[in-house]
Amino acid sequence: MIGRLSGTLLEKTPPLVLIDCNGVGYECEVPMSTFYNLPALGEKVVMLTHLVVREDAQLLYGFGTSQERATFRQLLKVNGIGAKSALSILSGLSIDDLVQAVALQEPSMLTRVPGVGKKTAERLLLELKDKFTIDGVAAMNEHQPKSATSDVLNALLALGYNEREAVAAVKLLDKEISVTDGIKQALKSLSK
């Protein structure tokens, strides 16, 4: 029903923001990724929204990008994930990290988010497996054979690098690199 708000930012208290749209103040809950990119109070702001209507409340959720809103809506389709949980996931993980966790089937990346336990993480991975358009990971896999990419990534994780560092290093690898050369090159880029 309400898909977009354009107005003046009156208040911002995480996770709530208040936007004045021609004299009507709309209160929206936003993920921290959107919150950190908000302008100063009194400045003009445009926010994409998602309205949730329940028996006891009508809640408006705001997003800075269409990608955030689409991810939020996709999370809502997962069994057992409500609006608060979806907002928490978007606040605790970047969309790229979420997509990578799903692509790599890594529940440990999701369990770092407050309120997401092992079972919820596994359900998210299972239900989102074929739902995302995986821009970063798909681009990474287009340039390299899948086995080399996953082998290099697994080697870096086994060496103690965290998922974010390992995936970032693998993205920098040349086309059609062998596993051995990929590991060497990734380690060089991580040592800088």
Side-chain angles (χ1 to χ4, degrees), residues 26-99:
Y26 291 92
E27 194 175 72
C28 296
E29 288 190 49
V30 298
M32 296 312 291
S33 53
T34 296
F35 189 84
Y36 293 135
N37 293 316
L38 288 173
L41 294 178
E43 297 285 321
K44 183 133 176 91
V45 67
V46 175
M47 186 135 334
L48 299 172
T49 61
H50 179 85
L51 180 66
V52 175
V53 178
R54 299 188 325 214
E55 282 184 30
D56 60 340
Q58 294 182 12
L59 303 167
L60 197 58
Y61 295 91
F63 306 94
T65 66
S66 59
Q67 187 181 21
E68 281 182 336
R69 182 172 64 177
T71 304
F72 178 82
R73 287 176 172 169
Q74 195 63 53
L75 287 169
L76 290 179
K77 294 177 184 176
V78 174
N79 188 22
I81 300 293
K84 293 281 186 193
S85 297
L87 201 65
S88 178
I89 291 167
L90 286 176
S91 292
L93 289 173
S94 70
I95 293 174
D96 288 340
D97 288 344
L98 177 61
V99 169

Side-chain angles (χ1 to χ4, degrees), residues 4-19:
R4 180 177 174 271
L5 295 176
S6 178
T8 305
L9 185 61
L10 295 180
E11 294 178 20
K12 55 181 185 177
T13 309
L16 292 174
V17 297
L18 181 65
I19 302 170

Side-chain angles (χ1 to χ4, degrees), residues 42 46 63 70 92 117 120 136 142 162 186:
V46 175
F63 306 94
T120 303
E142 283 173 14
N162 67 38

